[in-house]
Amino acid sequence: MAKIVIISGSPTPTSRIHGVIEIARSAFVQAGLEVDWIKVRDIPAEDLMYANFASESIVNANNIVASADAVLVATPVYKASYTGVLKAFLDLLPQKGLERKVVLPIAVGGTQSHLLAIDYALKPVLSALGAQNILQGVFVLDKQVTWGDGGQAILDEEITERLDKAVQDFIQEVKWHTSRS
């Protein structure tokens, strides 16, 4: 069974990116994929800030990434880039920690001017970590995500279509990639 790890760079538990991740995670589970979810905000801040490579939390998170076939990297966009907490975690991955993994970046931002944060801020770091198969990312505007009465994210029709296509392409790529291994 193919294994996906979600790395969430949101510093808050109820962010819009969290709602988008839940939708993608459900699709992964329905497709029969094993899913782990690293919420970087749950890693002790001191371990992240002082680059404590020996920390049990960092070692465990890195092992989860190492054992995955694919990685979904999700982040809100602040100041035209991904979050600092996500950067702190990515800095603690091994130099080639994303080698031979399918990667799907997803970002949620407040304005269209943040649209290129995936291509110009996040993708270079993912490439530096050895990722060669980085799929086209999905950028979601804050206003395209609302909350239902049950606390679930509701996406605008346009973003629902784009997210669904990206997630289905990701699933197909992961299954193809793991069938060749």
Side-chain angles (χ1 to χ4, degrees), residues 43-61:
I43 296 173
E46 191 168 286
D47 292 343
L48 291 168
M49 294 305 297
Y50 293 111
N52 183 359
F53 287 91
S55 153
E56 183 179 338
S57 295
I58 299 297
V59 170
N60 288 340

Side-chain angles (χ1 to χ4, degrees), residues 50-100:
Y50 293 111
N52 183 359
F53 287 91
S55 153
E56 183 179 338
S57 295
I58 299 297
V59 170
N60 288 340
N62 285 348
N63 286 338
I64 290 169
V65 173
S67 69
D69 299 298
V71 180
L72 184 153
V73 179
T75 183
V77 175
Y78 300 141
K79 310 283 191 238
S81 188
Y82 55 94
T83 61
V85 71
L86 178 59
K87 175 66 167 133
F89 176 70
L90 294 176
D91 285 346
L92 294 171
L93 286 175
Q95 183 61 41
K96 295 295 179 185
L98 298 180
E99 193 171 49
R100 293 189 207 90

Side-chain angles (χ1 to χ4, degrees), residues 21-181:
I21 290 169
E22 281 290 355
I23 292 167
R25 188 190 65 76
S26 292
F28 300 153
V29 171
Q30 288 176 0
L33 303 173
E34 183 181 338
V35 182
D36 282 314
W37 189 344
I38 298 170
K39 298 173 185 172
V40 179
R41 71 173 173 275
D42 293 339
I43 296 173
E46 191 168 286
D47 292 343
L48 291 168
M49 294 305 297
Y50 293 111
N52 183 359
F53 287 91
S55 153
E56 183 179 338
S57 295
I58 299 297
V59 170
N60 288 340
N62 285 348
N63 286 338
I64 290 169
V65 173
S67 69
D69 299 298
V71 180
L72 184 153
V73 179
T75 183
V77 175
Y78 300 141
K79 310 283 191 238
S81 188
Y82 55 94
T83 61
V85 71
L86 178 59
K87 175 66 167 133
F89 176 70
L90 294 176
D91 285 346
L92 294 171
L93 286 175
Q95 183 61 41
K96 295 295 179 185
L98 298 180
E99 193 171 49
R100 293 189 207 90
K101 298 185 189 315
V102 180
V103 180
L104 174 63
I106 297 178
V108 173
T111 70
Q112 281 292 100
S113 61
H114 291 148
L115 177 65
L116 296 176
I118 291 174
D119 290 334
Y120 291 106
L122 188 55
K123 281 186 177 180
V125 174
L126 300 175
S127 292
L129 289 168
Q132 295 176 324
N133 191 359
I134 305 171
L135 303 184
Q136 182 174 341
V138 178
F139 180 79
V140 181
L141 286 171
D142 282 347
K143 67 182 181 182
Q144 293 177 301
V145 183
T146 57
W147 298 102
D149 293 337
Q152 78 283 8
I154 300 170
L155 306 180
D156 285 0
E157 184 177 336
E158 183 266 335
I159 196 59
T160 298
E161 290 173 11
R162 283 195 302 115
L163 180 65
D164 183 56
K165 179 172 180 356
V167 166
Q168 293 308 315
D169 289 350
F170 184 63
I171 291 169
Q172 181 179 358
E173 190 74 16
V174 170
K175 287 183 174 182
W176 179 81
H177 175 76
T178 56
S179 73
R180 295 179 47 114
S181 299

